[in-house]
Amino acid sequence: MPDKRPLDPLQPVLYIDHCRYRPIYRKRALHLHSSLAEALRAIQPRVKLQLRINDRGPPQDGSFEVAVAQYPTEDAAARQSVWTGLRRMPSATKVPHVDDIFTPVCFALKLRDPNKESHRRMLTNLRHNDGSRARSEDFE
């Protein structure tokens, strides 16, 4: 069921559409939002990333789609897609890690250049401090 609480019209929104038949997707969506909101606040303290889950009605089976908009919008074309998990198998790869979508979200929201060294250091800290499993590319 979509959340219909009013959104702040001056803050960005993370839109996530995920399969309702996989309860773990909702938990991962909430974790992704909190991790991304923390990462964005680290580079832009005034940004308060809002969240909408399945706001366009029932999503496609097996899906995990992530889009972002600078301001709340009902128009799906105004949202910039930053991740699609539709064609990814196994299902564990359908949900992105925050560092998989951080750069596209920064560009979509027109935040500071995420390629600067300070952003790379901050991403490295997020990878190691958020309690998630270490990835093989972290050691290369």
Side-chain angles (χ1 to χ4, degrees), residues 88-106:
R88 296 179 190 273
M89 287 296 188
S91 62
T93 62
K94 288 182 181 269
V95 181
H97 189 272
V98 67
D99 60 335
D100 295 331
I101 64 169
F102 182 73
T103 299
V105 167
C106 285

Side-chain angles (χ1 to χ4, degrees), residues 69-127:
Q70 278 191 300
Y71 306 106
T73 179
E74 294 294 321
D75 181 16
R79 303 172 186 173
Q80 183 166 342
S81 178
V82 294
W83 181 268
T84 181
L86 278 178
R87 297 181 193 0
R88 296 179 190 273
M89 287 296 188
S91 62
T93 62
K94 288 182 181 269
V95 181
H97 189 272
V98 67
D99 60 335
D100 295 331
I101 64 169
F102 182 73
T103 299
V105 167
C106 285
F107 285 125
L109 299 179
K110 298 179 175 89
L111 298 177
R112 282 190 260 157
D113 181 9
N115 294 317
K116 289 183 180 176
E117 184 61 32
S118 63
H119 296 144
R120 276 186 253 150
R121 275 196 307 265
M122 194 254 325
L123 276 177
T124 301
N125 289 338
L126 281 174
R127 285 185 194 136

Side-chain angles (χ1 to χ4, degrees), residues 58-74:
Q60 193 172 351
D61 285 350
S63 68
F64 197 96
E65 306 288 316
V66 181
V68 67
Q70 278 191 300
Y71 306 106
T73 179
E74 294 294 321

Side-chain angles (χ1 to χ4, degrees), residues 2-112:
D3 182 9
K4 291 300 178 186
R5 286 180 286 175
L7 295 171
D8 182 343
L10 302 175
Q11 293 294 330
V13 183
L14 183 69
Y15 295 94
I16 299 178
D17 292 322
H18 67 78
C19 177
R20 294 181 305 173
Y21 302 112
R22 299 206 168 118
I24 190 70
Y25 283 3
R26 182 167 183 83
K27 183 178 179 181
R28 290 183 179 172
L30 295 171
H31 177 71
L32 179 65
H33 170 255
S34 65
S35 298
L36 186 59
E38 179 184 335
L40 292 175
R41 273 193 310 270
I43 64 165
Q44 196 73 276
R46 288 190 224 142
V47 171
K48 291 181 177 44
L49 187 65
Q50 303 173 93
L51 177 64
R52 276 289 188 248
I53 296 178
N54 294 341
D55 75 323
R56 291 185 285 170
Q60 193 172 351
D61 285 350
S63 68
F64 197 96
E65 306 288 316
V66 181
V68 67
Q70 278 191 300
Y71 306 106
T73 179
E74 294 294 321
D75 181 16
R79 303 172 186 173
Q80 183 166 342
S81 178
V82 294
W83 181 268
T84 181
L86 278 178
R87 297 181 193 0
R88 296 179 190 273
M89 287 296 188
S91 62
T93 62
K94 288 182 181 269
V95 181
H97 189 272
V98 67
D99 60 335
D100 295 331
I101 64 169
F102 182 73
T103 299
V105 167
C106 285
F107 285 125
L109 299 179
K110 298 179 175 89
L111 298 177
R112 282 190 260 157

